[in-house]
Amino acid sequence: ETVEHSLDRMCEGGIYDHLGGGFSRYSVDERWLVPHFEKMLYDNAQLLELLALAFQRSGNPVFRERALETVGWLEREMTTREGAFCASLDADSEGEEGKFYVWSMQEIEQALGAENAAYFAAFYDVSAGGNFDGHNILNRLNGLPRSMEDEHRLAMLRPVLHKKRETRVRPGLDDKILTDWNGLMIAALVNAGVILDRPGWLTMARRAFDFIAQQMVQNQRLGHSWRAGKLLFPGLASDFAAMIRAALALYEATGERPYL
């Protein structure tokens, strides 16, 4: 119960990106409202697997939704051309932490119109005064009832705001490929993909695994990181541990002996 309560609050809090998917690094308050806005690959890998396990146990649809949205973010913003996964997204843009993610009531009204903005604001804790230094961090901690009609309408409004947000100056992307963090995400994609019946996630996992196994190995030993064609060698114990776990997950899901 403690695990599910904590995970539910994280899924509904401002630490989660309700427009783009993915979790920020940590919260600076007791309610999971105000995050340090940096998004790390290793946090989201471990949370993805936990979300799938929690959904399997509880049937809470929020856990499944957040897993799907987080993989959507991973595929859209964090996947390299080679199919591996980037390390992190910065917290800052234009010299200000969180500027990319926060909203004013006026911005939401301009994007959605007055009626839809008022409706959206009630569910996502948006006000003229803001909930964080005069700005608004979108969250659903107020616990308003969830009707299917409400969820459908909100699902139509979020992409409008997401598209508007994409016109802003983006936070910096750390696009280096870290072997251990990729190993965590590969295993998470496989295990969550099996639980949630998402075969495409296994395809993503295979592609990332193959890149590391083929391009980040020297003399049968793993390197630690790769960027712009340059490999940092040798790897650490964490790199071997995470990639062994990833290989076992792929073997268990596919039965293909090369992973073993």
Side-chain angles (χ1 to χ4, degrees):
E1 290 175 2
T2 302
V3 170
E4 289 174 9
H5 173 74
S6 298
L7 190 58
D8 179 77
R9 296 295 82 191
M10 294 165 72
C11 287
E12 302 291 53
I15 193 170
Y16 183 74
D17 181 356
H18 290 268
L19 297 183
F23 291 84
S24 295
R25 192 171 190 182
Y26 57 83
S27 174
V28 300
D29 68 292
E30 78 285 4
R31 298 178 58 229
W32 302 104
L33 172 62
V34 182
H36 176 56
F37 289 89
E38 188 175 16
K39 293 182 184 178
M40 313 297 293
L41 183 66
Y42 65 87
D43 291 322
N44 284 279
Q46 294 171 93
L47 281 162
L48 172 61
E49 192 160 0
L50 179 58
L51 286 165
L53 290 167
F55 173 74
Q56 186 179 45
R57 180 185 185 278
S58 69
N60 184 342
V62 172
F63 298 152
R64 183 178 183 276
E65 290 167 15
R66 298 295 180 263
L68 294 173
E69 292 163 354
T70 295
V71 175
W73 161 75
L74 177 75
E75 191 169 18
R76 186 179 62 251
E77 300 185 33
M78 300 294 288
T79 303
T80 70
R81 288 179 300 176
E82 297 83 10
F85 307 116
C86 301
S88 66
L89 275 173
D90 291 347
D92 300 358
S93 57
E94 301 183 81
E96 184 177 331
E97 182 179 334
K99 186 173 183 179
F100 182 76
Y101 298 100
V102 299
W103 294 84
S104 69
M105 186 67 191
Q106 183 180 13
E107 287 174 319
I108 290 179
E109 288 174 345
Q110 289 172 346
L112 299 180
E115 181 182 346
N116 281 331
Y119 181 83
F120 186 89
F123 282 93
Y124 283 94
D125 189 29
V126 176
S127 65
N131 57 26
F132 168 65
D133 288 347
H135 304 288
N136 291 282
I137 299 171
L138 302 183
N139 72 90
R140 298 193 66 173
L141 292 169
N142 55 18
L144 289 178
R146 293 171 172 269
S147 74
M148 291 299 293
E149 183 180 352
D150 288 327
E151 293 304 319
H152 179 70
R153 184 174 174 184
L154 292 168
M156 299 290 286
L157 297 176
R158 285 193 300 270
V160 178
L161 290 178
H162 184 258
K163 185 177 180 180
K164 177 70 173 177
R165 194 177 76 176
E166 287 297 293
T167 66
R168 298 175 178 176
V169 176
R170 295 187 58 80
L173 174 68
D174 182 351
D175 61 355
K176 68 175 172 286
I177 298 167
L178 294 170
T179 301
D180 46 3
W181 296 7
N182 269 260
L184 289 173
M185 183 57 82
I186 292 164
L189 285 167
V190 173
N191 293 330
V194 169
I195 291 170
L196 300 179
D197 191 22
R198 308 294 293 191
W201 296 3
L202 271 70
T203 302
M204 292 173 64
R206 285 174 180 270
R207 190 175 174 214
F209 187 94
D210 289 347
F211 173 79
I212 293 169
Q214 293 167 14
Q215 301 298 324
M216 297 180 63
V217 172
Q218 288 183 6
N219 300 321
Q220 297 186 313
R221 290 190 62 186
L222 286 166
H224 175 61
S225 68
W226 188 95
R227 185 179 185 279
K230 295 182 180 179
L231 177 66
L232 181 64
F233 188 86
L236 309 174
S238 60
D239 297 315
F240 284 88
M243 284 297 289
I244 288 169
R245 184 167 179 269
L248 287 172
L250 282 163
Y251 174 67
E252 289 170 353
T254 67
E256 295 176 12
R257 290 195 64 82
Y259 292 119
L260 187 60

